[in-house]
Amino acid sequence: MHKAGFVNIVGNPNVGKSTLMNLLVGERISITTFKAQTTRHRIMGILNTDDMQIVFSDTPGVLKPNYKLQESMLNFSESALVDADVLLYVTDTIEKPDKNAEFMEKVRALKVPVLLLINKIDLTNQENLVKLVDEWHEMLPQAEIIPISAMAKFNVDVVMKRIKELLPDSPPYFGKDQWTDKPARFFVTEIIREKILLYYDKEIPYSVEVVVEQFKEDAKSIHINAVIYVERESQKGIIIGRQGKALKKVATEARKTLEHFFQKSIYLETFVKVDKDWRSSDKELKNFGYQLD
């Protein structure tokens, strides 16, 4: 028999969902930085073996939306509750179970197996962990609770074993050689955005969107033209930096990561343009690939 199913990862921002996803899939799919709201889309990573296909899905952190972009991000998170065969709800040792009560109500109503993963257990002690497990058990009685540390790779194998046991019998949903539902261009934009998250402060990373205007690939190399969109002229100046140094650093670091990711030589050109208030514009968000309904 062949098993296949959708394993969707949800939770609040910054609890370690993307790190966990990358461990489970074994590919560096979701950008993982130390800043909240890093993941903006729903990203699938597909794990194939001879008798199994697990379609993992990483989603944006659940939050109360303040502007249109965040509404779209919440839509991605809520859509993950609808089509899951197994739900991984990721929390950590700092977060209280009563955060985001509305979303928890939806999780509580699910009929599919829920694995509640308490991440970052290396940051607490046994006594506090036992208390936390009890609190979560009260909040989500149907969930199976597994304490983990994604950074230390602790208990991730236990999670994987449970997922395999819970998967339904089914033929594969995707080709067996496919490891994500996203095109190559998507990962270029994510990797450039990751570098911007790492090198700029405050509002800048959240005001940025990246669009790949050219992606030409041959046997040994890829030529890429990417445009970094910001909301204001002042942000454009910050992204470029004095004598273009800041932008050059981002491009250099992105190119190194892209070469590692695609295993080819990368020629990367980056440009910066202003697209005023794109985060609040339906038209622009649709152009950038966000779901608004």
Side-chain angles (χ1 to χ4, degrees):
M1 273 310 290
H2 188 279
K3 288 182 144 200
F6 290 83
V7 176
N8 299 345
I9 304 172
V10 297
N12 289 310
N14 254 10
V15 290
K17 294 186 298 298
S18 299
T19 306
L20 179 69
M21 162 104 161
N22 290 335
L23 277 179
L24 292 168
V25 182
E27 291 276 356
R28 192 183 162 289
I29 283 185
S30 291
I31 65 174
T32 48
T33 66
F34 50 85
K35 299 198 179 184
Q37 296 177 46
T38 311
T39 304
R40 286 181 181 172
H41 294 264
R42 191 171 159 188
I43 303 168
M44 286 182 186
I46 302 162
L47 183 67
N48 289 299
T49 63
D50 290 341
D51 57 354
M52 193 174 56
Q53 182 177 78
I54 309 177
V55 185
F56 287 103
S57 186
D58 185 18
T59 58
V62 178
L63 41 79
K64 284 262 185 289
N66 290 326
Y67 43 82
K68 279 271 166 58
L69 170 62
Q70 290 185 339
E71 280 172 30
S72 167
M73 286 159 63
L74 186 60
N75 285 342
F76 284 124
S77 300
E78 293 191 339
S79 72
L81 299 179
V82 178
D83 58 13
D85 291 301
V86 179
L87 189 82
L88 303 185
Y89 188 96
V90 184
T91 175
D92 63 18
T93 51
I94 301 148
E95 194 174 87
K96 291 279 170 267
D98 53 10
K99 190 175 174 183
N100 267 338
E102 277 171 52
F103 193 77
M104 290 313 295
E105 278 300 315
K106 290 175 181 163
V107 175
R108 239 201 314 271
L110 290 180
K111 298 285 181 272
V112 300
V114 177
L115 299 182
L116 184 104
L117 311 180
I118 303 176
N119 191 19
K120 308 181 189 177
I121 59 162
D122 40 328
L123 303 180
T124 189
N125 59 37
Q126 189 66 29
E127 193 186 334
N128 289 342
L129 185 59
V130 169
K131 223 160 68 189
L132 199 54
V133 168
D134 288 344
E135 285 172 20
W136 274 110
H137 189 66
E138 243 174 74
M139 176 65 77
L140 281 180
Q142 90 272 33
E144 195 175 318
I145 299 171
I146 306 174
I148 65 164
S149 167
M151 286 304 261
K153 299 183 181 168
F154 175 75
N155 262 357
V156 175
D157 53 341
V158 175
V159 175
M160 197 61 161
K161 186 167 170 280
R162 277 307 281 142
I163 290 168
K164 288 175 180 175
E165 289 163 1
L166 293 165
L167 275 193
D169 293 334
S170 164
Y173 291 95
F174 296 90
K176 284 288 203 161
D177 56 348
Q178 201 175 332
W179 54 272
T180 181
D181 64 327
K182 295 282 186 241
R185 284 168 175 252
F186 175 80
F187 292 99
V188 176
T189 64
E190 287 289 278
I191 285 164
I192 294 171
R193 223 164 50 74
E194 175 184 56
K195 302 310 171 195
I196 291 167
L197 273 160
L198 287 170
Y199 296 126
Y200 298 92
D201 280 343
K202 302 192 176 70
E203 182 62 6
I204 290 289
Y206 306 108
S207 309
V208 162
E209 188 56 71
V210 180
V211 174
V212 174
E213 295 206 330
Q214 184 186 316
F215 186 97
K216 281 190 181 161
E217 186 169 11
D218 56 39
K220 287 187 176 167
S221 64
I222 308 173
H223 288 253
I224 300 167
N225 284 4
V227 178
I228 297 167
Y229 284 97
V230 292
E231 292 192 301
R232 315 210 178 337
E233 277 296 335
S234 57
Q235 293 167 344
K236 181 177 176 179
I238 294 168
I239 289 279
I240 294 169
R242 190 175 293 167
Q243 296 170 329
K245 279 185 182 158
L247 184 60
K248 193 175 177 188
K249 182 174 182 179
V250 164
T252 304
E253 291 300 318
R255 185 181 52 74
K256 285 184 201 159
T257 302
L258 288 163
E259 288 188 331
H260 179 70
F261 190 89
F262 289 109
Q263 298 292 298
K264 288 187 176 186
S265 295
I266 301 285
Y267 299 92
L268 174 65
E269 279 195 88
T270 49
F271 308 90
V272 185
K273 292 182 182 173
V274 177
D275 184 351
K276 200 168 172 332
D277 297 325
W278 67 265
R279 286 186 298 178
S280 303
S281 156
D282 285 4
K283 183 167 162 282
E284 292 306 321
L285 286 167
K286 279 194 175 129
N287 288 345
F288 289 143
Y290 292 98
Q291 282 175 347
L292 297 181
D293 36 50

